[in-house]
Amino acid sequence: MSLQVDAARLTHELQVLATFSAAPAPAVTRVVFTEPDRAARAYVRSLCTAAGLSLREDAVGNLFARWAGEDPSLPAVCTGSHIDAIPNAGMYDGTVGVLGALEAIRALQATGLRPRRSIELLMFTSEEPTRFGIGCLGSRLLSGLTDAGAASRLRDRDGATLDDARQAAGFTGTVADVALPPGQYTAFVELHIEQGPLLEQRGIGLGLVTAIAAPASLRVTIDGEGGHAGAVLMPARRDAFLAGAEIALAVEAAARSTDAIDTVATTGVCHVFPGAVNSVPSRCELEVDVRDIDEGRRDAVLARVETACVDVAARRRVSVTTQVVNADPPARCDAAVVDALTASCVDAGFACEPMISRAYHDALFMSRVAPTGMLFIPCRAGVSHRPDEYAAPEDIARGVHVLALALARLAS
Amino acid sequence: MSLQVDAARLTHELQVLATFSAAPAPAVTRVVFTEPDRAARAYVRSLCTAAGLSLREDAVGNLFARWAGEDPSLPAVCTGSHIDAIPNAGMYDGTVGVLGALEAIRALQATGLRPRRSIELLMFTSEEPTRFGIGCLGSRLLSGLTDAGAASRLRDRDGATLDDARQAAGFTGTVADVALPPGQYTAFVELHIEQGPLLEQRGIGLGLVTAIAAPASLRVTIDGEGGHAGAVLMPARRDAFLAGAEIALAVEAAARSTDAIDTVATTGVCHVFPGAVNSVPSRCELEVDVRDIDEGRRDAVLARVETACVDVAARRRVSVTTQVVNADPPARCDAAVVDALTASCVDAGFACEPMISRAYHDALFMSRVAPTGMLFIPCRAGVSHRPDEYAAPEDIARGVHVLALALARLAS
């Protein structure tokens, strides 16, 4: 197959997509259902329509753009990723797997191929947990792992429910209908930047993911006692922020205690109330993220954090409550999908190597309902979730080329 | 003198004043030059005008309400406090010294007294540091301790300058003219809730302040390196929030290290960037408050905090910068003013005792330009800077009674 990936067109489209942002360039902030997210969705829809794909959106805004195959009754081959972005992020996380998949479909169309199975681009809602506190909301609901009842209880920091937010963005269907029927897809493949440094360090252009690390997140709420910073003497204090500081350090210590390089834990959010220089903090809210490729080891870290919370609560005479927002098992990629990706690399003459995904992705949840694989491309210095996140056009084009070959192979 | 304090009227006025708030009752949030602050100022002006006082406002919004004496050419007796309130505060801090002083003046007027010296109610701008990061802004400028040049460099978190903010609130004069001329006042007395538990614990209705603790505040900015919470491995991290957590705990340890009950230190503000659960914090901003009645001991705590910052920066490979926002000496109250307050307590038949003010007040700065005293009344459980801050009407009335007698004595 003589496949031509238009790297210049794809680079241009990624740059246009990056302009839909609540933060000034080069930063990208695109939180689900906010105005930049809605505008970016409209842009992607317009590109898909121009490519002749037929569009469908579900009740939470997952977008399905289908290139019908010769036999549309067969389970389709699916590919996709997300376009939402955490505050102050970059322009490649997720977007490469959406616009790159579209470019792969266009490149296949240009060869004159008519695939036997349909090929469907899936753009997932809210891969990032920024707004509702839980990552991969769209793919969780598609997989059935999160049900409509749980989704209906989600609220953002301002108290808006998921239903409020999705309906305001124009998605008015029934959330219970989002879950995919069994056997919908014969395969799912996600193209993504590595978000780590290994491919760049080894000079390898493509990574074939064999497993995705198991993520978990906790919300920790500490209630102490406020008061005047001059008048409340040190022995009488029940300072919620100092308790939070100790818990954040305990999270770090718990991750390091496993002595496994694959264990990571982060306290990325800390809100202090009332938040005045001359007022003893009465309340502190933390959000904690723990990941490991080994689920048991990950759960042991969570247990250590819980123990630390109990210890800090007793010692500092504060109340500490923890809520597990999610604690998901790791995923193994499907051997047949990995084989199709490997064969496509061989066909194209590109070097590749197997690897672990430390970040988690919609593929983690799609693996519950479809044979799944992931294809990684390098990103500069492994940097992600930052404005200086960067993937070279030639690396993106190489990933798109292999994705296209694999989609054709899986759809044949 | 047969003095009648109208406790019911004063309670009503305090309650009305509390309604000017950005937070729902019982919380009071009234940040300088915001709409609630401007509305509250208008209310106080209307009450002063109704009492026949002549009004003047300076370039930063300090309000002077004068009851002219028989000899207006003599230095006046001054009394007052502030009405601004930190986020989620209560309704008595400061306000008791403004509306209580007005009630004292009205009670004196009702006796038919015509004082020899004028008596002036002074309502200070921005005693709280919430908006511009520095406490007692109005009284600092009146005392000359902070000059117009330093004031012109102040900015709030949104980047607005003091000049922008005061002019938007209608205060358009020249800041250099705010400093009081020498000998303006023969005495300054501030009535205030204790903001500590001692009077209540000892069953004493009135405290006569002999000294005010020395306050200092620091801003600490930590720059580390952000990244994806799944992909950046623990040994490679330069997490700004964990550095901030260690510094906050070092602040507490530094205060406790003096073994003096009078040393207190607080980290009341912590902002974490970018503030997403799945992003390693790249930046953390802390605001730290340190106080002691012993200035040398206070400075030793500041030095320990600075040392901890250097240590944390090296160990965690982050950049830590500290900025001393203020570091003021303690104040001794004036013996003659304290004597006048003591004699007034004796005249009225009220028990009182000398005490230290651990919180700082506009009186700290007024003591640089006038013989100064402070009169404390109990507040429930020592609670302040919280919505449940409470002072009983009879305790407030007792303070107003003694304040009125002392003003009359000092103005004679």
Side-chain angles (χ1 to χ4, degrees):
Chain A
M1 190 183 302
S2 170
L3 197 76
Q4 294 295 323
V5 172
D6 189 339
R9 171 171 63 180
L10 177 52
T11 299
H12 171 74
E13 289 170 352
L14 285 166
Q15 286 168 343
V16 172
L17 187 57
T19 64
F20 301 107
S21 168
V28 176
T29 298
R30 194 158 53 228
V31 177
V32 64
F33 300 143
T34 61
E35 185 48 41
D37 180 58
R38 293 162 70 170
R41 287 166 178 271
Y43 176 62
V44 173
R45 280 196 301 268
S46 73
L47 295 178
C48 291
T49 300
L53 308 184
S54 54
L55 305 191
R56 172 173 84 83
E57 288 172 320
D58 69 16
V60 296
N62 291 312
L63 170 68
F64 306 78
R66 175 171 281 231
W67 178 24
E70 283 181 351
D71 186 350
S73 68
L74 291 175
V77 175
C78 187
T79 179
S81 191
H82 66 98
I83 61 165
D84 65 319
I86 69 167
N88 208 38
M91 62 176 271
Y92 299 94
D93 175 7
T95 58
V96 161
V98 173
L99 296 181
L102 175 62
E103 179 58 27
I105 290 171
R106 290 185 301 213
L108 289 173
Q109 290 172 332
T111 65
L113 174 77
R114 181 78 199 272
R116 190 165 70 96
R117 296 174 185 272
S118 299
I119 296 178
E120 195 158 282
L121 166 56
L122 211 172
M123 184 173 84
F124 299 96
T125 279
S126 198
E127 195 267 349
E128 302 292 359
T130 311
R131 182 157 184 184
F132 292 105
I134 187 163
C136 295
L137 180 58
S139 52
R140 277 178 198 277
L141 287 162
L142 288 169
S143 74
L145 195 82
T146 296
D147 65 15
S152 71
R153 291 188 292 275
L154 294 174
R155 287 177 180 272
D156 68 13
R157 192 165 291 281
D158 297 328
T161 63
L162 172 62
D163 277 338
D164 296 338
R166 72 184 178 91
Q167 287 167 4
F171 303 111
T172 55
T174 305
V175 175
D177 296 341
V178 170
L180 291 170
Q184 175 85 350
Y185 296 123
T186 187
F188 174 75
V189 182
E190 183 168 3
L191 172 66
H192 209 282
I193 59 170
E194 180 195 346
Q195 304 185 288
L198 301 182
L199 290 174
E200 185 185 66
Q201 284 170 5
R202 296 176 193 171
I204 301 281
L206 293 163
L208 305 184
V209 174
T210 56
I212 304 173
S217 67
L218 282 180
R219 279 187 173 160
V220 181
T221 304
I222 304 144
D223 285 293
E225 187 171 17
H228 191 290
V232 184
L233 303 182
M234 299 307 286
R237 294 198 177 190
R238 298 167 52 220
D239 185 314
F241 173 49
L242 293 177
E246 289 188 339
I247 291 168
L249 292 166
V251 166
E252 180 192 41
R256 287 177 171 272
S257 74
T258 68
D259 289 329
I261 193 68
D262 294 317
T263 316
V264 290
T266 310
T267 305
V269 174
C270 174
H271 292 289
V272 174
F273 303 91
V277 62
N278 55 354
S279 195
V280 178
S282 60
R283 186 181 176 93
C284 179
E285 296 172 358
L286 305 177
E287 295 184 21
V288 176
D289 178 295
V290 183
R291 306 178 194 215
D292 203 311
I293 55 170
D294 183 302
E295 188 176 5
R297 205 162 55 199
R298 196 268 326 269
D299 287 345
V301 170
L302 289 174
R304 272 179 182 264
V305 171
E306 295 275 5
T307 301
C309 288
V310 170
D311 166 58
V312 169
R315 195 158 31 75
R316 289 197 174 266
R317 298 176 296 125
V318 296
S319 148
V320 180
T321 59
T322 59
Q323 179 203 353
V324 176
V325 178
N326 64 293
D328 301 299
R332 296 272 156 205
C333 290
D334 180 78
V337 176
V338 175
D339 286 348
L341 287 163
T342 307
S344 299
C345 288
V346 171
D347 282 356
F350 298 141
C352 65
E353 68 175 36
M355 64 192 307
I356 299 294
S357 172
R358 299 179 190 285
Y360 70 102
H361 301 282
D362 293 303
L364 179 66
F365 300 96
M366 289 301 286
S367 72
R368 312 298 173 87
V369 289
T372 289
M374 284 197 81
L375 185 61
F376 274 179
I377 59 166
C379 58
R380 189 175 58 198
V383 163
S384 185
H385 281 192
R386 281 170 31 185
D388 55 340
E389 178 182 270
Y390 178 74
E394 59 273 23
D395 287 329
I396 298 174
R398 193 181 299 115
V400 170
H401 192 115
V402 170
L403 176 65
L405 294 180
L407 293 176
R409 189 178 288 266
L410 291 164
S412 66
Chain B
M1 189 184 302
S2 169
L3 197 75
Q4 294 295 323
V5 172
D6 189 339
R9 170 169 64 178
L10 177 52
T11 298
H12 172 73
E13 290 170 352
L14 285 165
Q15 286 168 343
V16 172
L17 187 58
T19 65
F20 302 105
S21 168
V28 177
T29 297
R30 195 157 53 227
V31 176
V32 63
F33 299 143
T34 61
E35 186 49 40
D37 180 58
R38 293 161 72 169
R41 288 167 178 270
Y43 175 63
V44 173
R45 282 195 301 267
S46 73
L47 295 178
C48 290
T49 301
L53 309 184
S54 54
L55 306 191
R56 173 173 83 83
E57 289 172 319
D58 68 17
V60 295
N62 291 312
L63 170 69
F64 306 78
R66 177 171 281 231
W67 179 24
E70 281 181 349
D71 187 348
S73 68
L74 290 175
V77 176
C78 187
T79 180
S81 192
H82 66 97
I83 61 165
D84 64 320
I86 70 166
N88 207 39
M91 63 176 272
Y92 299 94
D93 174 7
T95 58
V96 160
V98 173
L99 296 181
L102 175 62
E103 180 58 29
I105 289 171
R106 290 185 302 215
L108 289 172
Q109 289 172 332
T111 66
L113 173 77
R114 180 79 198 270
R116 190 165 70 96
R117 297 174 184 271
S118 299
I119 296 177
E120 196 157 284
L121 167 57
L122 210 172
M123 184 172 83
F124 299 96
T125 279
S126 198
E127 195 265 349
E128 303 292 359
T130 310
R131 182 157 184 184
F132 292 105
I134 188 164
C136 295
L137 180 59
S139 53
R140 278 178 196 275
L141 286 162
L142 288 168
S143 74
L145 195 82
T146 295
D147 65 15
S152 71
R153 291 188 291 275
L154 293 175
R155 287 178 181 272
D156 68 14
R157 193 165 288 281
D158 297 328
T161 65
L162 172 62
D163 276 339
D164 295 339
R166 72 183 178 90
Q167 287 167 4
F171 303 110
T172 55
T174 305
V175 175
D177 295 342
V178 169
L180 292 170
Q184 176 85 349
Y185 296 122
T186 187
F188 173 75
V189 182
E190 183 168 3
L191 172 67
H192 209 283
I193 59 170
E194 181 196 345
Q195 303 184 288
L198 302 181
L199 290 173
E200 185 184 67
Q201 283 170 5
R202 295 176 193 170
I204 301 281
L206 294 163
L208 305 184
V209 174
T210 57
I212 303 173
S217 65
L218 282 180
R219 279 186 174 162
V220 181
T221 304
I222 304 144
D223 285 293
E225 187 171 15
H228 190 289
V232 184
L233 303 183
M234 299 307 287
R237 294 199 176 189
R238 298 168 52 223
D239 184 315
F241 173 49
L242 293 177
E246 289 188 339
I247 290 169
L249 292 166
V251 166
E252 180 191 41
R256 287 177 171 273
S257 74
T258 69
D259 288 330
I261 193 69
D262 294 318
T263 316
V264 289
T266 309
T267 305
V269 174
C270 174
H271 292 289
V272 174
F273 303 93
V277 63
N278 54 355
S279 197
V280 178
S282 60
R283 188 181 174 93
C284 179
E285 296 173 359
L286 304 176
E287 295 184 21
V288 176
D289 178 295
V290 183
R291 308 179 192 216
D292 204 312
I293 56 171
D294 182 302
E295 188 176 6
R297 206 161 54 199
R298 196 267 327 267
D299 288 344
V301 170
L302 289 175
R304 272 180 181 263
V305 171
E306 295 274 5
T307 301
C309 288
V310 171
D311 166 57
V312 169
R315 195 157 33 75
R316 289 195 175 267
R317 299 176 296 124
V318 297
S319 150
V320 180
T321 59
T322 59
Q323 178 203 353
V324 177
V325 178
N326 65 293
D328 302 298
R332 297 271 156 205
C333 290
D334 181 78
V337 176
V338 176
D339 285 350
L341 287 164
T342 307
S344 300
C345 289
V346 171
D347 283 357
F350 297 141
C352 65
E353 68 176 34
M355 62 192 307
I356 299 294
S357 172
R358 298 179 191 282
Y360 72 102
H361 300 282
D362 293 304
L364 180 67
F365 299 96
M366 290 301 286
S367 73
R368 311 298 173 86
V369 290
T372 288
M374 284 197 82
L375 185 61
F376 273 178
I377 59 167
C379 58
R380 188 174 59 197
V383 163
S384 185
H385 281 191
R386 281 172 29 185
D388 55 339
E389 179 182 88
Y390 178 74
E394 58 273 23
D395 288 329
I396 298 173
R398 193 181 299 115
V400 169
H401 192 118
V402 170
L403 176 65
L405 294 179
L407 293 175
R409 188 178 288 266
L410 292 163
S412 67

